[in-house]
Amino acid sequence: MAVLRVKFTKTKRDKLAQVLWILNWISVVTGIILFSLGLFLKVEINKRGELMAERDVQYVPNMLIAVGLIACAINFLGGKICYDCVDTTKFLRWKLIMLPYIMCTFFFTFCVLVGALMCYTTHGELEESLNLGLTQAVRFYKDTDMPGRCFLKRTVDMLQIEFRCCGNNGYKDWFQIQWVSNRYLDMSQKEVLDRFRSNVEGKYLMDAVPFSCCNVNSPRPCIQQQITNNSAHFNYEHQTEEQNLWMKGCRHALLEYYTHIMQSIGLTVLITWLFELSVLTGVRYLQTSLENVLRQGDPNSESEGWLLENSFMETARTNLNIIKSLGKSNQIDTANNGDPNINVPSTSRAHYGPDNVPPKQIPDTS
């Protein structure tokens, strides 16, 4: 029994072909949109590539770019097919192509769905990439005179100013690293030397943060030095002065930023998938109804269209049997050591007589 069987008149078939022609061209536009969204996401990730570890976060924009390009090609071909299918006689040139086209389009729509799901499932990889990348960036903040790292200070400062964040997980991250270069420290001062000697690793650590961590909305001047020393500042309590510095860590801020972008893109891709699925359904109805018209021989007659000629179970069983038969045809008879001619009798073993009897069994009449 056919699945979702629908009857079509000649007028309905023509209108269906015309509507599908328009929808396919709209799908070409959606393909361009998918390509643009993937390109935008790729640019946004590369813009802050110095702050990310080399993790598998690029496959999401790459997937969207590939899906967008494929959507343009497939739907352009689909528009041409649907335009020709308005005339039943022109359908003959596409008759053998439509079923493979529908199968390829079905696989493509599945890829669109995968692309939408990927936008929602990359949170863990993105967070790990940002955590490792920001840890390295903060550690190399002071290396302004080292090739390959000289721009990290500016990058981190601009990041903290733009996203109103401080450190990787928070402002206290700066307490655990030496973020001031030795070239800007006066080694003749006892205080500086004492700080170096007090640290096991010989680093200059202090309870201070870079200027970019300062909250510009704070009612008092920013306190960057001796943040945890209440007596060093008038009317100051570092545990309550939360407005003086940005409290949010940059990893959390960037994660929120990229998650918002990916979720918005994922919703757009999901809507595109539903649209592509509806177009594919219409093309399938058009194909089956036109094939039934050809069987009837009357181009103006009514015809039936369906999604599947048989039920889901019968279709799955048929396809499974086809796969099994293909597998059996490729198997080698291992019981016969792989020799296909082992059971074929050889004519070179003995010379038989005219009555198909071996020579030793032919009586001697002499």
Side-chain angles (χ1 to χ4, degrees):
M1 181 178 179
V3 178
L4 298 178
R5 183 180 307 191
V6 178
K7 282 191 175 182
F8 291 92
T9 61
K10 175 68 167 61
T11 304
K12 287 184 178 180
R13 285 195 304 270
D14 293 344
K15 287 184 178 180
L16 177 62
Q18 293 171 355
V19 170
L20 288 174
W21 173 71
I22 297 174
L23 293 180
N24 271 284
W25 278 107
I26 296 176
S27 297
V28 173
V29 178
T30 60
I32 297 174
I33 293 175
L34 289 179
F35 174 80
S36 303
L37 290 175
L39 196 61
F40 167 75
L41 182 58
K42 192 176 185 69
V43 169
E44 285 296 312
I45 292 177
N46 290 335
K47 189 186 297 182
R48 297 174 179 87
E50 295 178 332
L51 304 174
M52 294 185 182
E54 294 183 359
R55 296 287 173 180
D56 295 333
V57 294
Q58 289 285 355
Y59 63 85
V60 178
N62 292 339
M63 178 76 171
L64 294 176
I65 290 173
V67 166
L69 292 175
I70 295 172
C72 293
I74 285 182
N75 291 298
F76 178 81
L77 177 61
K80 174 62 178 173
I81 292 174
C82 295
Y83 181 80
D84 288 345
C85 287
V86 175
D87 188 354
T88 308
T89 57
K90 291 183 179 179
F91 170 71
L92 292 173
R93 72 177 69 170
W94 300 107
K95 183 177 181 297
L96 298 177
I97 299 177
M98 281 198 73
L99 185 57
Y101 167 78
I102 290 174
M103 295 177 64
C104 292
T105 308
F106 178 78
F107 176 75
F108 161 72
T109 54
F110 176 75
C111 291
V112 175
L113 177 61
V114 171
L117 296 177
M118 285 167 59
C119 293
Y120 291 96
T121 57
T122 57
H123 185 274
E125 292 85 349
L126 183 61
E127 183 175 11
E128 185 178 0
S129 176
L130 287 171
N131 185 39
L132 296 176
L134 284 170
T135 300
Q136 291 293 100
V138 170
R139 184 182 303 170
F140 299 139
Y141 179 86
K142 63 181 177 59
D143 298 335
T144 54
D145 54 350
M146 186 172 294
R149 301 176 185 173
C150 54
F151 295 105
L152 272 179
K153 179 184 182 302
R154 181 181 182 276
T155 302
V156 173
D157 284 334
M158 293 304 297
L159 171 70
Q160 294 186 146
I161 293 172
E162 180 181 356
F163 285 87
R164 299 185 174 186
C165 58
C166 186
N168 184 4
N169 299 301
Y171 71 94
K172 291 184 179 180
D173 291 342
W174 294 105
F175 299 173
Q176 303 170 11
I177 63 168
Q178 179 182 342
W179 55 271
V180 179
S181 177
N182 290 343
R183 65 188 297 185
Y184 301 113
L185 296 175
D186 187 0
M187 297 300 179
S188 61
Q189 292 186 2
K190 183 178 181 299
E191 180 185 355
V192 175
L193 294 176
D194 289 342
R195 283 188 179 273
F196 274 111
R197 293 166 183 168
S198 63
N199 185 263
V200 178
E201 299 180 358
K203 296 181 179 180
Y204 184 81
L205 304 182
M206 54 183 177
D207 56 344
V209 296
F211 76 97
S212 53
C213 284
C214 294
N215 186 346
V216 296
N217 300 319
S218 175
R220 67 180 298 164
C222 182
I223 298 177
Q224 299 175 243
Q225 307 288 334
Q226 302 185 43
I227 295 175
T228 59
N229 187 1
N230 295 331
S231 60
H233 312 282
F234 177 74
N235 192 20
Y236 175 75
E237 175 63 41
H238 79 275
Q239 293 182 348
T240 59
E241 291 283 342
E242 295 183 355
Q243 294 182 351
N244 202 249
L245 301 174
W246 301 123
M247 294 291 107
K248 183 184 294 185
C250 291
R251 175 177 57 84
H252 182 62
L254 278 177
L255 191 61
E256 284 184 345
Y257 174 72
Y258 283 115
T259 300
H260 176 71
I261 291 177
M262 286 191 174
Q263 287 181 353
S264 301
I265 292 177
L267 179 61
T268 305
V269 177
L270 192 61
I271 295 173
T272 303
W273 172 71
L274 293 173
F275 182 75
E276 292 286 346
L277 194 62
S278 64
V279 175
L280 176 61
T281 303
V283 173
R284 175 61 175 168
Y285 274 117
L286 182 64
Q287 178 227 351
T288 52
S289 62
L290 287 174
E291 286 185 350
N292 288 328
V293 167
L294 293 179
R295 293 191 188 101
Q296 296 170 9
D298 184 5
N300 296 320
S301 62
E302 288 188 352
S303 62
E304 291 185 340
W306 50 69
L307 292 183
L308 294 175
E309 189 172 359
N310 300 313
S311 64
F312 289 104
M313 293 300 298
E314 292 177 359
T315 303
R317 193 181 300 113
T318 302
N319 293 331
L320 185 61
N321 292 332
I322 292 174
I323 294 173
K324 287 182 178 179
S325 63
L326 290 175
K328 289 180 180 179
S329 64
N330 293 327
Q331 287 179 352
I332 297 176
D333 189 0
T334 56
N336 294 328
N337 297 323
D339 187 0
N341 298 320
I342 194 167
N343 293 324
V344 178
S346 176
T347 58
S348 61
R349 294 179 180 177
H351 297 286
Y352 287 77
D355 296 327
N356 201 25
V357 179
K360 292 183 179 179
Q361 299 180 8
I362 297 177
D364 189 4
T365 57
S366 56

